[in-house]
Amino acid sequence: MEFWKSKRKMITAIAGFLVFMMVCTMISKSVYAYRLPQITVEEAKKRTLGRVVKLQGAVTQGKEFAVSTLPSIRVDTVEVGKGDEVEEGSVLFTLDMRDLQKQIAKQELEIKKLEVQIATLQHNQGLADAQKVRDTNRLLEDYLTEAAEGEIAVDRAKIREGEANADLQKHLEDVPQTTDEKGRAEAFAAYDDWVERGKRLKEEVKQLTSALTAAQREVEEAQAAVDAWKEKQTGGTLFSMETQTLPPETDAGLPETEAGLQTGVILPEAQTGSSDATPPETEFAPPNAGLSGTQSDSPDTTPPETEPAPPEAEPSETEPVPPDAGLSGTQSDSPDTTPPETESAPPEAEPPETQDTPADTDPPKAAPSGGESNEPGQPLEVLQKRLEEAVARRNACADALQEAQDRLQEHQEEGRVRPDFTAEDAEKKNWETQAETLRRSAENAGWAYDDALRQKQKALEEAQRKVDDSVEPETLQDTLVLNQLELSWQKEVMQGYRELQEQEGKITARQKGVVTAVHVSPGNGTPDGAAVVYADREENLEFWMTVPKEQKKYVSQGTQGNLQLGNKQLDCAVEYLEPQADGSYLAILSLPQGLGNMGESGTFVVSWQSESYPCCVPADLVYEEKGRHYIYVVRRQQGILGEEMVAEKRYVKVVEEGDSYAALEGGALADGEEVIASATKEIKDQAVVRYRIPDGM
Amino acid sequence: MRKKNLTAYVFLLPSLCGVLLFYLLPFADVVRRSFLTAVTKEFCGFDNYRAVFHNEAFLLASKNTARFCLFCLPILLGLGLFVAVLLDGYCRGKTFLSAYLLPMAIPSATVVLVWKMVFARQGILNACLGDFAALLGKNCVFEIDYMDTGAAFWVLVASYIWKNLGYTVTLWLAGLLSVPAEQKEAARVDGAGSRQVFWRVVFPQLLPNLYTITVLSFLNAFKVFREAYLVAGSYPHESMYMLQHLFNNWFVNLSLDKMAAAAVVTGGVMITGILLLQRLWEKE
Amino acid sequence: MQAAPGMDGEAVEKMRRRMKRGMAVVVLAALAVLLCLPVAMLLFGSVTGDYEMWERLLPMTPAGNGYVRWRWIPEFPDFSRYANLLFATPQFFVLFWNSVKITGLILAGQLLAAVPAAWAFARYDFWMKKALFAVYVILMLLPFQVTMLSQYLVLDRFGFLDTHWAVVLPAVFSTFPVFLLYRSFLTIPESLLEAARMDGAGEGYLFWRIGLPLAEGGIWSAVVLNFLECWNLIEQPLAFLKEQSLWPLSLYLPQIGLERAGFAMTASVVTLVPALLVFGFGKEYLEQGISAAGTKG
């Protein structure tokens, strides 16, 4: 390896250098470590802080006595000064006797003046009283009068009210009769019916009249026929030709309008059957055929038919009156049919079928009658029979007519008037109006009564007030009392002066003590308040101490502590705390009897315990700089050499300070963080540190 | 020949592997990145290149770097040659050379301290200049703040020359020494003045060295960044702002797309340059 | 220049030469002094007491006025700083050994990787040699920042980040030593190798026994250069090492502010020493290597 050998020098050098560096490395490590400040640490703990506060103070007097006397009396001599001890009865100061005399004289004058004043006042008072009594009496009388008058008014009003009410009541009871609606309607209906009936009757009459005329004609025709026959017998056939105009159908009802109409009339009758009248079936069974049969029957039926004619009851009967058809039927030519028809004429029976059927019934009726009559070549007997029948019919007609007319007459004689309810109504209205009026007056009467009552009340009250007023106390009396009081007081003062006089103006102490203040001086007047103040030496002593502002929070009223006076100790509590002008406080506690001498100084020791704080460190670990507090905390960080510990200056806020511990604001230290308690070297912020190596290792 | 080839590869292998892994692969990645956006990694074609060419900072840095190289190299080479000639001609002692080479051994970090003191506004240089001027009778005050003005450029130049002069001188000297003395003698005998001797005889023979020296000096020129960074930080004065500053800042700001594109561009430029140089001087 | 009477041309010539030489010497000396000035400043500054240093540098602060005036010999030399640094600052040594470790590993690695590679480039022809070499050269010239991010990711993938390997590995495979050594390997005459080959030597033998010894100078110069380079690494450790306790010394120095200028200087001087040592010993090799690198164009 020549290669390497030739480089020996270089290699040696480099190797040497490296070795040197190695050595240096190790040296530096140890030196560095050695140089590091070694620290001990403490952790923050949760604890309470304690503090011992010592307050200095002194014993002062508690109870003080004041000696005073009547003011403004010149003082002659003052025997004592501040701090002097006095015994019971020792003279404190003496008053000037001459001055005292003057005061007494003045006082007497005062008293006299007052006495005179009082007498005058009393006299005046008597007069006033008498007057007052009189006034009061008068007012009472007024009151009574008012009461009585009021009563009367009220009663009257009440009566009026009663009357009005009664009238009203009576009136209300007296209700005029009026027909009610139903009645009225009935009345109207009745009237209408009557009117209708009248009309019907008139019509009937008319019809009958025409029927009669027709019957008469028939008679004449029959007669004529007879005559003609007779003539024919004698030769002439004029009439037969005329009579052949009739249609061939004889049995069946010939559609002659008149006949139909007649039969129409009949039908309704039958159907009415309203009254007992007819065996309807027999008559109307074959309306078309064989009406003659019916006709034959019809005379039987007619009378009963006529009866039911004027049935007043049913209004509906008015309708069938348009058996005008029937009536007109009767007016028609066929005389045969007339009697039954006339009878059937006033069948005011209802059936509207009358309208329908006329056509049906007509022919049959007409047929036989018409047919028969005009047949030529009929036997005389027939004609005569016909004539007889016609006459009979005519007669019947006339009778009926007469009857009808009678009825009409009767009816008209009834002379009914349309029911007029207006009078009724008017009367009712009147009644109502009257009722209203009565009601109003009753109401008024009621109000009047109320008014009267109120009026009375008011009047009474006023009168009462006046009476009360007059009984009020008089100020006049106050003045009197005052004066009397003053008099008695002045007399007392006088008494005081006299006593002083007796004492020869000497003011003494009541009991033993020490003079603490003297407020009198020779030649000046005695003060208003205390002239001399002295305190009890032995009783009611107090201990006064000053509490500096910073320590105020440890001491408050009631704080217990230990008082040391001389070689005596006492556990007591602060009784009173008062702020002073300079920010400090004055604390006072009273001493039990026998303990302490005035002026003696002592110490009051208060041990104060705070609440528990979570983060407390020993107080001497907290430093202060420019008003801020700080601590050094150990922080671990990674450095070039690995993990190292660094002292970190951390500003904290001290929440509470005790004697040996300080509480830091929560959060100042995290869990487990250590505070540097001591160090071998001065620590600077961010300086690297290490733990202290325990001695002996 | 095949054997030769294989053995060659064997010799080459360790280096090649490492180069591949730690240089070529990263560079390939850089090329890839130059076509992607920075954050979303989407293909964006030549956007980054366009951005780079429009980027003021890039242009400034390129300009500065180019300016520096084009300026310094000739100075260094020239000065180096001059000193080498002097040494060769008059003073063969090794001491001077050692002295010249010393600066190269000084760590950049160390020398930066000195530069700070010298080139500060109230620095030593100004003081000396002032003194010098006073000597000459002029009473002007030199308060040039080298770091914050265009003079910063000269700081770089000075630092560069200071550091690399020895190296360059040594290189030139080696070249000079390789010129056989007889040739020079012969020339002189022929009546050529020393100047002529130099330019006609010696210099042509030095040309082959030029390639190496240029490349090496070029390489060292880039290394100036270190001093610049240590003295003036990431964002120095404009005139000092070089490509490396730019890359550094882009890296810090994660503008990786621009960085990649610029890297490719720079690489490209250098490749071309090298190839050119190679063509010019390599006569292999 | 006028010849003094009585002097012949040669004497004049000699004088001229002497004068020229004198001038040259002066110029060269001046240059040398100028170049060494900062180092001297450092040296003297490192023993200047803190207070004095502060005083001197006061004009540089906004508070001061006037100029920084340098006093060479301090009024109150303070060697205690050295003592402090060397004997009481373990942190410094942590960093120091970091630097040593990093540098040592890099250098070793480089020797293992770059030397053979340079040999391959120099002596063999192979496929893509030119291109590969060009690539190597380019890689050498590329500033670190270009590949910084991608290297970061690769290192992260392997988990090397925040360890020394992050700095060591990329540097080991730096192509700069390849370049340097290539030059010096080129100087070896091929004939020598051929001869050896014909003698039956294997390639390995050629490399080991012939190439290496002959290129020793070059190798040493590469080592020296790279040592200086590694000892001054700043960018890579800054980017890849987060843990302060892994930092090399070169990274620490810039951290010291100007207010501790004295300490900075002291630390710098101590940092300087190994570099100087290496430089001192490797000087000749350095020169040799550089020349070798420089000659063959």
Side-chain angles (χ1 to χ4, degrees):
Chain A
M1 295 265 140
E2 320 86 36
F3 181 74
W4 294 111
K5 281 193 203 138
S6 60
K7 309 295 169 297
R8 180 165 300 181
K9 207 165 113 198
M10 186 177 78
I11 291 170
T12 333
I14 290 180
F17 175 70
L18 287 179
V19 165
F20 171 69
M21 293 309 259
M22 192 83 74
V23 167
C24 287
T25 310
M26 291 193 287
I27 294 177
S28 68
K29 274 201 177 141
S30 73
V31 168
Y32 178 72
Y34 177 74
R35 281 218 195 146
L36 283 179
Q38 297 171 24
I39 58 166
T40 54
V41 291
E42 292 247 4
E43 274 191 26
K45 289 198 266 289
K46 178 174 169 170
R47 53 177 300 130
T48 61
L49 306 175
R51 206 166 176 82
V52 169
V53 174
K54 291 199 176 145
L55 300 171
Q56 300 292 328
V59 176
T60 54
Q61 68 280 8
K63 192 151 133 187
E64 285 184 317
F65 301 94
V67 173
S68 60
T69 179
L70 293 167
S72 309
I73 307 175
R74 196 170 304 145
V75 170
D76 195 18
T77 55
V78 178
E79 317 287 339
V80 294
K82 212 191 244 189
D84 287 348
E85 276 197 41
V86 290
E87 300 288 325
E88 188 174 344
S90 48
V91 178
L92 297 173
F93 59 95
T94 322
L95 300 168
D96 189 355
M97 293 307 291
R98 278 198 303 273
D99 200 48
L100 190 61
Q101 292 281 47
K102 252 196 289 189
Q103 298 278 7
I104 289 175
K106 211 161 65 176
Q107 196 65 18
E108 278 179 0
L109 189 60
E110 275 298 320
I111 290 173
K112 264 272 154 17
K113 260 198 269 186
L114 277 174
E115 282 175 346
V116 168
Q117 257 181 326
I118 288 169
T120 320
L121 282 173
Q122 279 177 334
H123 176 70
N124 286 342
Q125 186 67 28
L127 289 173
D129 281 346
Q131 179 68 27
K132 193 169 184 96
V133 167
R134 273 203 298 279
D135 284 338
T136 313
N137 283 341
R138 245 180 252 139
L139 286 172
L140 274 171
E141 282 172 14
D142 286 342
Y143 176 80
L144 289 171
T145 322
E146 280 292 340
E149 281 178 12
E151 238 359 275
I152 294 171
V154 167
D155 285 340
R156 278 198 202 135
K158 196 171 176 83
I159 291 170
R160 283 273 170 273
E161 192 196 6
E163 284 176 7
N165 277 337
D167 282 341
L168 177 67
Q169 209 51 40
K170 208 163 71 175
H171 182 78
L172 284 175
E173 280 166 16
D174 192 15
V175 186
Q177 284 288 355
T178 48
T179 40
D180 57 0
E181 280 298 318
K182 190 157 166 238
R184 284 198 191 186
E186 278 176 18
F188 280 123
Y191 174 72
D192 289 334
D193 283 346
W194 182 82
V195 168
E196 283 305 315
R197 201 161 63 99
K199 276 201 205 136
R200 265 202 321 267
L201 283 175
K202 277 202 190 104
E203 277 302 316
E204 209 184 300
V205 163
K206 217 162 48 178
Q207 275 184 7
L208 285 175
T209 318
S210 55
L212 181 64
T213 331
Q216 182 64 33
R217 238 184 305 126
E218 264 190 45
V219 166
E220 285 168 4
E221 279 177 11
Q223 184 68 55
V226 168
D227 288 341
W229 192 88
K230 285 179 177 162
E231 275 191 32
K232 215 168 86 182
Q233 296 301 61
T234 55
T237 53
L238 285 164
F239 293 110
S240 57
M241 291 294 283
E242 290 169 24
T243 54
Q244 274 179 351
T245 51
L246 289 170
E249 283 176 74
T250 51
D251 290 342
L254 291 173
E256 271 203 4
T257 49
E258 305 115 332
L261 292 173
Q262 291 156 14
T263 47
V265 174
I266 291 176
L267 273 175
E269 297 170 358
Q271 287 174 357
T272 330
S274 48
S275 33
D276 31 35
T278 50
E281 309 88 6
T282 52
E283 283 183 309
F284 308 108
N288 292 325
L291 256 180
S292 53
T294 49
Q295 285 171 13
S296 53
D297 293 338
S298 53
D300 302 335
T301 60
T302 43
E305 287 153 20
T306 54
E307 279 150 27
E312 290 189 0
E314 300 116 309
S316 46
E317 288 153 23
T318 54
E319 288 167 29
V321 174
D324 290 338
L327 290 171
S328 53
T330 50
Q331 290 165 10
S332 70
D333 303 339
S334 43
D336 296 343
T337 52
T338 44
E341 290 133 26
T342 50
E343 279 124 22
S344 62
E348 280 108 6
E350 351 38 297
E353 293 127 17
T354 50
Q355 285 113 13
D356 305 348
T357 51
D360 299 337
T361 53
D362 286 343
K365 261 235 175 112
S369 50
E372 291 174 355
S373 57
N374 292 333
E375 238 180 72
Q378 282 183 326
L380 180 67
E381 294 85 23
V382 171
L383 288 177
Q384 275 181 335
K385 196 172 173 202
R386 217 173 115 213
L387 180 63
E388 283 168 13
E389 284 172 3
V391 171
R393 270 205 297 270
R394 190 206 53 197
N395 289 340
C397 229
D399 288 335
L401 178 64
Q402 186 64 41
E403 210 178 313
Q405 281 177 334
D406 287 339
R407 272 209 304 272
L408 182 62
Q409 184 84 18
E410 209 180 284
H411 180 272
Q412 285 179 335
E413 276 171 7
E414 265 181 46
R416 266 194 184 174
V417 183
R418 187 185 167 84
D420 188 11
F421 297 110
T422 49
E424 242 180 39
D425 288 338
E427 194 184 319
K428 185 89 186 265
K429 212 163 187 81
N430 264 349
W431 177 89
E432 275 173 8
T433 322
Q434 223 181 341
E436 192 54 42
T437 317
L438 282 177
R439 212 177 280 124
R440 279 223 191 93
S441 49
E443 209 174 38
N444 283 342
W447 288 345
Y449 171 70
D450 286 336
D451 283 344
L453 210 56
R454 242 183 297 124
Q455 195 66 28
K456 173 182 155 201
Q457 203 64 28
K458 211 162 80 173
L460 278 183
E461 272 177 24
E462 269 198 46
Q464 179 70 40
R465 236 181 266 133
K466 287 212 185 91
V467 171
D468 288 339
D469 280 348
S470 75
V471 186
E472 256 180 36
E474 289 279 346
T475 46
L476 209 54
Q477 271 191 317
D478 286 340
T479 320
L480 179 63
V481 169
L482 274 175
N483 277 338
Q484 283 173 332
L485 285 173
E486 193 166 342
L487 178 65
S488 56
W489 180 67
Q490 295 287 15
K491 281 205 173 137
E492 273 184 36
V493 171
M494 176 61 119
Q495 183 66 24
Y497 282 129
R498 293 237 186 266
E499 277 173 16
L500 282 175
Q501 211 174 27
E502 278 166 36
Q503 281 179 311
E504 294 172 23
K506 290 190 171 58
I507 313 296
T508 57
R510 281 200 298 280
Q511 57 189 86
K512 197 161 93 159
V514 173
V515 174
T516 53
V518 174
H519 296 300
V520 288
S521 46
N524 293 326
T526 48
D528 232 344
V532 172
V533 180
Y534 64 96
D536 194 322
R537 276 211 82 131
E538 305 207 334
E539 284 192 24
N540 307 113
L541 291 174
E542 291 173 343
F543 186 76
W544 284 27
M545 49 201 168
T546 312
V547 182
K549 195 161 57 167
E550 310 82 54
Q551 295 181 328
K552 165 67 182 71
K553 61 179 177 224
Y554 306 114
V555 178
S556 52
Q557 206 160 345
T559 311
Q560 292 277 343
N562 184 272
L563 176 66
Q564 290 163 355
L565 273 178
N567 49 8
K568 295 203 204 82
Q569 287 197 16
L570 178 70
D571 283 328
C572 44
V574 171
E575 283 168 20
Y576 179 70
L577 207 59
E578 174 189 83
Q580 304 291 300
D582 62 353
S584 64
Y585 286 80
L586 177 66
I588 300 178
L589 50 88
S590 49
L591 299 169
Q593 193 165 6
L595 181 68
N597 299 312
M598 261 183 59
E600 194 179 345
S601 56
T603 314
F604 186 64
V605 179
V606 176
S607 303
W608 169 85
Q609 204 69 15
S610 77
E611 63 191 57
S612 170
Y613 287 99
C615 187
C616 296
V617 293
D620 50 5
L621 298 187
V622 178
Y623 308 100
E624 192 180 329
E625 155 191 88
K626 289 187 217 155
R628 296 173 74 184
H629 293 104
Y630 65 90
I631 52 172
Y632 283 110
V633 181
V634 171
R635 181 168 56 92
R636 281 158 215 283
Q637 68 179 25
Q638 287 286 19
I640 294 178
L641 295 178
E643 192 187 81
E644 52 190 18
M645 294 191 296
V646 170
E648 183 186 304
K649 182 174 176 180
R650 191 178 290 180
Y651 285 103
V652 290
K653 204 165 109 162
V654 174
V655 171
E656 188 78 66
E657 236 184 284
D659 275 334
S660 47
Y661 277 85
L664 304 177
E665 195 177 22
L669 286 176
D671 259 347
E673 269 193 321
E674 300 159 324
V675 180
I676 297 179
S678 73
T680 49
K681 284 198 189 31
E682 189 194 326
I683 300 201
K684 295 203 184 90
D685 191 20
Q686 305 302 326
V688 182
V689 294
R690 60 191 279 238
Y691 284 126
R692 189 191 185 89
I693 305 157
D695 292 330
M697 258 177 75
Chain B
M1 286 313 260
R2 258 188 94 202
K3 194 171 157 203
K4 267 195 175 180
N5 282 354
L6 279 176
T7 33
Y9 280 122
V10 167
F11 281 119
L12 201 50
L13 201 61
S15 170
L16 200 57
C17 285
V19 165
L20 211 67
L21 185 61
F22 290 108
Y23 292 96
L24 289 177
L25 205 62
F27 193 70
D29 183 50
V30 166
V31 173
R32 179 183 72 95
R33 272 179 197 277
S34 71
F35 291 111
L36 305 174
T37 57
V39 182
T40 55
K41 307 268 176 60
E42 294 167 349
F43 185 75
C44 67
F46 284 96
D47 281 350
N48 291 332
Y49 289 96
R50 246 174 270 138
V52 158
F53 278 114
H54 287 119
N55 187 308
E56 268 187 36
F58 177 75
L59 295 173
L60 175 70
S62 321
K63 187 183 76 147
N64 278 342
T65 314
R67 185 161 69 119
F68 182 79
C69 295
L70 289 174
F71 189 77
C72 284
L73 279 180
I75 290 185
L76 183 67
L77 294 180
L79 196 60
L81 186 58
F82 176 67
V83 171
V85 163
L86 279 184
L87 272 179
D88 180 43
Y90 301 104
C91 186
R92 290 297 175 87
K94 289 286 173 88
T95 33
F96 280 134
L97 204 57
S98 314
Y100 296 144
L101 281 174
L102 189 59
M104 213 169 69
I106 314 284
S108 310
T110 318
V111 90
V112 156
L113 213 56
V114 175
W115 288 156
K116 277 194 185 154
M117 284 197 291
V118 169
F119 289 111
R121 201 162 65 87
Q122 316 277 48
I124 300 172
L125 183 60
N126 282 344
C128 291
L129 286 175
D131 289 345
F132 197 58
L135 267 175
L136 292 178
K138 294 184 206 169
N139 234 355
C140 37
V141 174
F142 285 88
E143 285 243 343
I144 310 168
D145 191 349
Y146 295 99
M147 289 294 129
D148 275 340
T149 60
F153 182 72
W154 299 109
V155 173
L156 278 187
V157 171
S159 174
Y160 174 69
I161 294 181
W162 175 80
K163 199 154 199 187
N164 293 301
L165 191 62
Y167 193 60
T168 322
V169 165
T170 317
L171 286 172
W172 279 127
L173 203 56
L176 282 172
L177 286 174
S178 70
V179 173
E182 310 86 51
Q183 282 185 7
K184 286 195 278 196
E185 279 301 323
R188 207 161 286 142
V189 162
D190 284 342
S194 48
R195 282 245 172 96
Q196 281 174 320
V197 165
F198 178 73
W199 288 111
R200 293 290 171 79
V201 176
V202 178
F203 195 71
Q205 296 212 24
L206 289 178
L207 281 179
N209 292 4
L210 202 55
Y211 172 70
T212 319
I213 298 176
T214 312
V215 168
L216 289 173
S217 302
F218 197 56
L219 180 63
N220 288 328
F222 277 125
K223 296 223 186 104
V224 154
F225 164 72
R226 238 178 248 170
E227 272 99 5
Y229 181 76
L230 288 174
V231 170
S234 289
Y235 290 96
H237 185 262
E238 266 190 7
S239 52
M240 271 215 294
Y241 195 74
M242 301 188 72
L243 275 176
Q244 290 103 320
H245 284 113
L246 184 63
F247 281 118
N248 213 21
N249 293 335
W250 271 344
F251 180 73
V252 168
N253 294 335
L254 293 179
S255 310
L256 303 172
D257 48 355
K258 288 206 280 273
M259 208 173 97
V264 171
V265 167
T266 318
V269 166
M270 283 200 247
I271 290 171
T272 2
I274 300 300
L275 289 177
L276 268 174
L277 274 179
Q278 246 187 357
R279 197 88 22 110
L280 280 176
W281 277 297
E282 279 280 330
K283 298 222 167 70
E284 281 190 319
Chain C
M1 187 168 157
Q2 284 214 352
M7 272 201 196
D8 49 11
E10 251 202 53
V12 166
E13 191 59 36
K14 253 206 178 148
M15 228 163 82
R16 202 181 278 173
R17 282 194 77 177
R18 226 178 264 141
M19 276 182 76
K20 266 201 206 163
R21 189 192 155 96
M23 255 178 26
V25 167
V26 164
V27 166
L28 289 172
L31 196 59
V33 166
L34 195 64
L35 286 183
C36 291
L37 224 52
V39 184
M41 273 172 79
L42 267 182
L43 278 172
F44 283 108
S46 65
V47 287
T48 315
D50 274 331
Y51 182 70
E52 205 174 327
M53 182 62 85
W54 175 78
E55 250 185 349
R56 279 199 209 153
L57 293 178
L58 198 56
M60 269 179 71
T61 60
N65 43 18
Y67 296 99
V68 175
R69 297 220 172 264
W70 195 253
R71 270 252 199 86
W72 291 110
I73 316 269
E75 228 173 87
F76 305 103
D78 185 6
F79 287 95
S80 71
R81 257 218 297 280
Y82 275 108
N84 226 5
L85 187 67
L86 289 176
F87 300 124
T89 321
Q91 291 93 335
F92 180 78
F93 286 101
V94 169
L95 301 174
F96 173 81
W97 292 114
N98 279 344
S99 282
V100 169
K101 178 176 163 197
I102 290 176
T103 311
L105 286 175
I106 293 178
L107 286 179
Q110 275 182 343
L111 284 178
L112 289 175
V115 173
W119 178 253
F121 273 120
R123 302 254 63 104
Y124 298 98
D125 264 328
F126 47 90
W127 173 65
M128 294 257 288
K129 174 173 140 174
K130 259 203 180 164
L132 207 57
F133 192 71
V135 166
Y136 267 54
V137 169
I138 291 160
L139 284 177
M140 181 175 80
L141 291 175
L142 274 182
F144 167 67
Q145 280 77 8
V146 168
T147 51
M148 185 162 76
L149 172 70
S150 306
Q151 264 182 10
Y152 185 91
L153 293 174
V154 169
L155 291 168
D156 192 32
R157 174 69 63 84
F158 282 104
F160 288 135
L161 272 190
D162 229 14
T163 64
H164 283 142
W165 293 113
V167 178
V168 166
L169 285 178
V172 161
F173 298 109
S174 164
T175 54
F176 180 59
V178 175
F179 184 72
L180 289 178
L181 292 168
Y182 165 79
R183 290 267 157 232
S184 53
F185 277 135
L186 274 182
T187 57
I188 301 174
E190 184 65 27
S191 49
L192 207 61
L193 293 174
E194 280 301 327
R197 238 179 244 130
M198 283 202 282
D199 283 344
E203 298 304 317
Y205 182 86
L206 285 179
F207 174 66
W208 193 253
R209 287 286 178 165
I210 303 179
L212 279 184
L214 282 180
E216 210 182 291
I219 293 176
W220 277 117
S221 77
V223 165
V224 168
L225 272 180
N226 281 322
F227 177 89
L228 294 175
E229 178 70 26
C230 295
W231 196 249
N232 288 329
L233 271 184
I234 290 186
E235 290 143 328
Q236 289 90 329
L238 193 58
F240 299 144
L241 293 178
K242 285 287 172 297
E243 180 75 43
Q244 254 204 337
S245 54
L246 291 176
W247 276 8
L249 217 48
S250 50
L251 211 51
Y252 177 66
L253 286 179
Q255 304 268 342
I256 308 172
L258 212 58
E259 54 291 350
R260 299 170 71 194
F263 173 69
M265 287 190 181
T266 315
S268 309
V269 168
V270 176
T271 315
L272 201 51
V273 165
L276 278 178
L277 275 180
V278 168
F279 175 73
F281 283 110
K283 204 172 38 174
E284 39 191 278
Y285 295 107
L286 194 62
E287 290 155 16
Q288 224 180 50
I290 293 174
S291 346
T295 24
K296 201 66 187 283

